[in-house]
Amino acid sequence: LLITLFGFNLNTAGFIVLFTSIVCFGIVIKHHNKAAYLKKHTTFLKKINESELEKGECSLEGFDTGERFIDQGHSYTSDLDIFGQHSIFQLVNRTTTESGMIRLSEWLSEPAPNKEIHDRQDAIKELSEKLEWRQDFEASGMHFKNNRSDYYKLLDWVEAPFILLKHRRIYTAVAIILSILSLLSFYFILINLGSANEYVYYLLFLIIILFVNYLVLKRVKAAAENIVETSTKNLSTLRGYQALINKIESESFKSTKLYELQLLLINSKYSANVEINRICTLLDFSHQRPVEKVPIGGNYLYPLFNSFLLLDIYLIIGVEKWKSMNKVSLKSWTKIVSEFEVINSFAGFSYSNPS
């Protein structure tokens, strides 16, 4: 159809059909992704209920034992089988993040003040009655379930030293100026194709500008590649926290502990969900950059646009600026999510064992 329209010089109609086709394709992809997510989510919900049945029958072979939290010198964890095979940890644990699992081990092995105990009990009681929300919360985290050390890799990443942030104004100004000069040179080359003298002049100028761009990009290459190499795992971990934070922010809670934890996520100048989505968008974009150590992925048009627009500089400054603004908050957010996961774990155990 497009060939026919353009063949008969019906360019306007051709572009309308092309644009409409692209929009329709995007809508179909969006609905497909949503359907695939819901299918996977339903599978996780099914798995959660199957796990509850297995725990009810004390069939615990397939569940994490928490053995890495065993402390032989602890005053009671070994005697009470808190960790290990057929342990309390296996019965209670319903966390999906590594930090949540660590926090659960702390709850099980560290004493708490009386007020904190009562607040925890109230929170557990409230969540135990929110069956649909609890299971949806756990299933949301299962889409991005952490492996061991993912949490610590995320903390190391956010604490890594900055490369360009200190001189971001200089680098941004250089990127803007060189980008404008590159694009203007290319534009004047196109409009002077028929004039040999001016064409050669602008071509030479473009080559010089691109060479300068190359030197600038070479200087920041290591930092840009590091973002791409570390983003895959960090992106999954961050998406997991974002999914859980989204569930926390959108629910209403009455108990003191749950309400105060929720306020820490949303009672600020910006929400945790929005901020994590911002860095995830940047890290998603970084996957467009081909890197030798990451053989799969990368858009091979990226180097072309990068050579003209110096995209690496904006990428590095964007990521470093986010880390500078949110590295303290990120630790707080992960602790809040972890606390919710622990309460959710005990609430699930309480609901399955009402007596």
Side-chain angles (χ1 to χ4, degrees), residues 111-301:
N114 287 338
K115 184 181 183 304
E116 175 65 14
I117 291 173
H118 290 303
D119 287 343
R120 289 178 179 181
Q121 289 174 337
D122 290 341
I124 291 167
K125 182 179 179 181
E126 179 179 359
L127 276 197
S128 66
E129 297 170 358
K130 293 178 177 285
L131 174 63
E132 186 175 342
W133 185 89
R134 278 194 298 101
Q135 294 194 343
D136 189 44
F137 178 74
E138 184 178 349
S140 296
M142 291 172 72
H143 288 270
F144 310 94
K145 195 162 186 177
N146 289 179
N147 295 317
R148 188 170 178 177
S149 81
D150 286 350
Y151 172 62
Y152 293 108
K153 288 178 181 177
L154 179 64
L155 294 184
D156 289 341
W157 171 78
V158 82
E159 289 288 351
F162 302 134
I163 307 298
L164 303 187
L165 192 62
K166 186 178 179 181
H167 306 290
R168 65 183 180 277
R169 292 180 180 175
I170 296 174
Y171 275 98
T172 301
V174 168
I176 292 172
I177 293 170
L178 290 176
S179 298
I180 292 173
L181 291 175
S182 300
L183 294 174
L184 283 176
S185 300
F186 185 70
Y187 170 75
F188 283 114
I189 287 172
L190 292 179
I191 64 174
N192 287 284
L193 288 175
S195 176
N197 291 334
E198 293 187 7
Y199 171 81
V200 171
Y201 172 79
Y202 287 118
L203 178 61
L204 181 61
F205 185 74
L206 177 61
I207 291 172
I208 294 172
I209 294 298
L210 290 180
F211 180 70
V212 174
N213 290 357
Y214 166 78
L215 294 177
V216 174
L217 291 172
K218 185 178 180 181
R219 184 180 180 86
V220 302
K221 180 180 178 182
E225 290 188 344
N226 179 259
I227 290 174
V228 180
E229 291 166 13
T230 59
S231 66
T232 301
K233 180 49 66 179
N234 288 330
L235 184 58
S236 178
T237 306
L238 285 165
R239 287 290 190 200
Y241 283 113
Q242 183 189 19
L244 296 173
I245 287 171
N246 184 48
K247 295 299 178 184
I248 295 169
E249 289 186 352
S250 60
E251 184 62 19
S252 176
F253 301 106
K254 296 179 181 178
S255 64
T256 301
K257 187 171 182 65
L258 294 178
Y259 179 72
E260 289 178 350
L261 286 171
Q262 184 188 48
L263 279 183
L264 293 173
L265 292 175
I266 59 178
N267 189 20
S268 58
K269 295 180 181 178
Y270 47 79
S271 82
N273 183 38
V274 170
E275 281 302 299
I276 293 179
N277 186 64
R278 196 160 65 85
I279 188 61
C280 287
T281 301
L282 272 172
L283 295 181
D284 269 330
F285 174 75
S286 76
H287 288 175
Q288 300 299 313
R289 191 188 193 285
V291 175
E292 291 181 4
K293 293 182 180 180
V294 184
I296 300 176
N299 186 331
Y300 289 96
L301 287 177

Side-chain angles (χ1 to χ4, degrees), residues 33-47 139 142-144:
N33 291 339
K34 184 177 181 180
Y37 177 88
L38 290 174
K39 181 180 178 181
K40 195 174 182 181
H41 197 74
T42 303
T43 301
F44 288 141
L45 290 171
K46 179 174 178 286
K47 186 176 181 180
M142 291 172 72
H143 288 270
F144 310 94

